[in-house]
Every structure is written in C-alpha cells, then in structure tokens.
C-alpha cells in the first residue's frame, strides 16, 4: 500500500529520462506574478523543471503575455458555458498531452474537480496569501487585518477536495505593521510568495518527498 507515495501511480511509471527534468504546468487567471517567479527560478537554475505550458481560464489574463515573453507555451481554456467537469477534462487532456507531472495553481480562480485531483493525485499545488489554516478563501490579507493578527504570511499546499485545506508544503511568515493597509500588507506577502513558491516546487520535486496524511516531508531529512 503506497499511501505516502511521491507522485502516486505516476511515480512508478517514471523513467530516468523523464525524471531528470520534471515538466510542470502553471494555471493562472490574472496577473501571474507567482507564475513569473516560478519561470524565473527555472531560468536561473534554482528550480530543475521545465515549464511545459501556462494555461489560463481567462483570455485577458495579463500573465499570458508575460509567459509568452519567456518563451513558454500558453493556452486559454475558458470555463464559460461548460460544467466544471467538462472544463477540467479539457485541462487534464492538455496536461497529459504534454506529459506534465506537477500542476501549480498560481492565482487560478477556479476550484478544481475531484476528477482533476484524481488525475493528478498529490500533484496539484496552490499558493495562498495567509498562514493556513487561518483565513482561507478570498481576501485573505483583508481577513488578517480585520482579525488583528500580528503575523500572517503565505502557504504553499497540496490541493485536496477542501478549499485551502490540503497538506502544507511550505509557509513564510510576514509581520503585520500598525500602519498596514490591505495594499501594503498584500505587497509584503507577495514578496514572500515569490520566494516560497519556487522553493516549495523544488521540495515537492525532490527525491524522497512524501505526503503522509496531513503532513509532508522529504524522507531522509529530519
Ligand atoms: C496571490 O496572492 C496568490 O497567493 C493568490 O492569488 C494571488 C495571485 O497573484 N492565490 P499573481 O497572479 O500570482 O500575481
């Protein structure tokens, strides 16, 4: 029984050739600054991965042009007039065509279906601008300010069926200043997001990464 496998059934199919440079996909709906942070980490050699494709469900997403400028293939797959399952099936087909082994949601404003999560078991990541489980959902930075917390941050986690609840890979803390507005706090969290996401992807792609219930770790590292 392989409840804590690295990439589920796919891991067993991997050959040395396709493990050398894992192929990742980045799903966006908007600005795409986290997407760019991932692409920059790849270009800089800090992340051993190939960006196989950037997919947006929104045609006007500014991140699409930014990805093209980096020479990465982009696709628009609109969700309009489709059920979630129909849309996700289309996305899954495009990912499989490109032999993608890890999917990074980066400001992707869609819930993914159970079918998507089955197709990419433990291989869908998301970044969220709070220290989960605090402040899930929309406007996390505003929620943090309203609550009056003194420390917030960002979380990269594995996506499961529940919104912003999956096993956590990495978190970075950001202090809240007395003078903070939603904008100033969001900007400081975003800086940390751009560090956290490439680092989390590196961890997930590293040899020995395991998901054990709610906990994740790299085996042989304490
Ligand atoms: C980020 O704050 C991310 O944490 C959240 O959506 C925002 C996306 O920003 N999920 P960007 O498109 O990556 O610039």
């Amino acid at each position: 029984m392989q409840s804590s496998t690295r990439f589920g059934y796919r891991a067993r199919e991997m050959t040395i050739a396709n493990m050398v440079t894992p192929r990742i996909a980045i799903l966006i709906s908007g600005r795409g600054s986290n997407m760019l942070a991932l692409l920059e980490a790849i270009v800089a050699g800090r992340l051993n991965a190939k960006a196989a494709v950037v997919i947006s469900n929104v045609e006007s997403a500014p991140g699409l042009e930014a990805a093209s400028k980096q020479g990465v293939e982009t696709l628009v797959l609109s969700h309009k007039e489709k059920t979630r399952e129909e849309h996700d099936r289309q996305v899954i087909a495009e990912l499989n065509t490109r032999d993608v082994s890890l999917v990074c949601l980066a400001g992707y404003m869609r819930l993914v279906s159970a079918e998507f999560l089955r197709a990419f078991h433990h291989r869908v990541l998301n970044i969220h601008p709070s220290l989960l489980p605090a402040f899930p959902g929309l406007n996390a930075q505003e929620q943090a300010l309203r609550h009056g917390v003194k420390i917030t941050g960002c979380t990269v986690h594995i996506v499961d069926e529940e919104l912003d609840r999956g096993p956590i890979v990495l978190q970075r803390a950001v202090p809240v200043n007395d003078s903070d507005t939603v904008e100033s706090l969001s900007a400081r969290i975003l800086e940390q997001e751009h560090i956290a996401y490439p680092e989390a992807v590196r961890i997930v792609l590293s040899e020995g990464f395991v998901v054990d219930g709610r906990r994740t770790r790299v085996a042989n590292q304490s």
Side-chain angles (χ1 to χ4, degrees), residues 30-35 106-109 126-129 141 190 193-194:
R31 177 175 61 179
S33 71
N34 279 289
M35 170 208 76
Y108 186 60
M109 301 304 284
N126 183 44
I127 185 153
H128 183 78
Q141 304 92 332
L190 195 62
E193 292 185 42
H194 295 164

Side-chain angles (χ1 to χ4, degrees), residues 76-219:
V76 177
L77 297 177
S78 172
H79 59 279
K80 286 188 189 152
E81 288 163 35
K82 286 175 207 143
T83 65
R84 186 174 310 283
E85 284 68 27
E86 284 167 349
H87 179 245
D88 276 3
R89 246 168 252 148
Q90 221 186 344
V91 177
I92 293 166
E94 297 292 350
L95 298 175
N96 283 337
T97 305
R98 289 164 183 80
D99 203 18
V100 164
S101 60
L102 184 70
V103 181
C104 302
L105 309 184
Y108 186 60
M109 301 304 284
R110 305 265 310 156
L111 293 174
V112 295
S113 61
E115 189 171 336
F116 196 121
L117 296 176
R118 275 196 300 275
F120 287 89
H121 184 60
H122 286 168
R123 292 182 295 137
V124 183
L125 296 181
N126 183 44
I127 185 153
H128 183 78
S130 76
L131 292 177
L132 291 171
F135 314 128
L138 293 175
N139 306 320
Q141 304 92 332
E142 187 180 347
Q143 291 185 55
L145 273 181
R146 279 185 195 279
H147 196 91
V149 294
K150 300 295 184 192
I151 296 176
T152 183
C154 61
T155 303
V156 181
H157 66 96
I158 291 175
V159 176
D160 68 7
E161 306 71 36
E162 267 191 84
L163 178 69
D164 299 331
R165 285 282 155 173
I168 290 169
V169 178
L170 188 76
Q171 296 186 296
R172 288 183 72 90
V174 175
V176 180
N177 300 334
D178 293 347
S179 59
D180 263 331
T181 60
V182 173
E183 290 70 31
S184 65
L185 182 60
S186 301
R188 287 210 317 292
I189 294 173
L190 195 62
E191 280 175 24
Q192 297 306 311
E193 292 185 42
H194 295 164
I195 299 168
Y197 216 169
E199 176 59 9
V201 171
R202 196 190 61 72
I203 290 170
V204 171
L205 291 176
S206 66
E207 196 64 44
F209 176 76
V210 289
V211 181
D212 192 0
R214 287 212 46 84
R215 301 179 72 177
T216 71
R217 67 176 189 280
V218 178

Side-chain angles (χ1 to χ4, degrees), residues 36-98:
L36 266 185
L38 290 170
L39 298 182
E40 281 165 16
I42 291 171
V43 170
R46 281 181 282 120
L47 183 56
N48 178 30
K50 171 160 175 59
V53 66
V54 168
I55 299 176
S56 174
N57 64 313
V58 177
E59 195 174 354
S60 59
L64 285 169
E65 202 188 329
S68 294
K69 277 191 185 151
Q70 299 286 325
V72 178
E73 183 192 2
T74 60
L75 272 183
V76 177
L77 297 177
S78 172
H79 59 279
K80 286 188 189 152
E81 288 163 35
K82 286 175 207 143
T83 65
R84 186 174 310 283
E85 284 68 27
E86 284 167 349
H87 179 245
D88 276 3
R89 246 168 252 148
Q90 221 186 344
V91 177
I92 293 166
E94 297 292 350
L95 298 175
N96 283 337
T97 305
R98 289 164 183 80

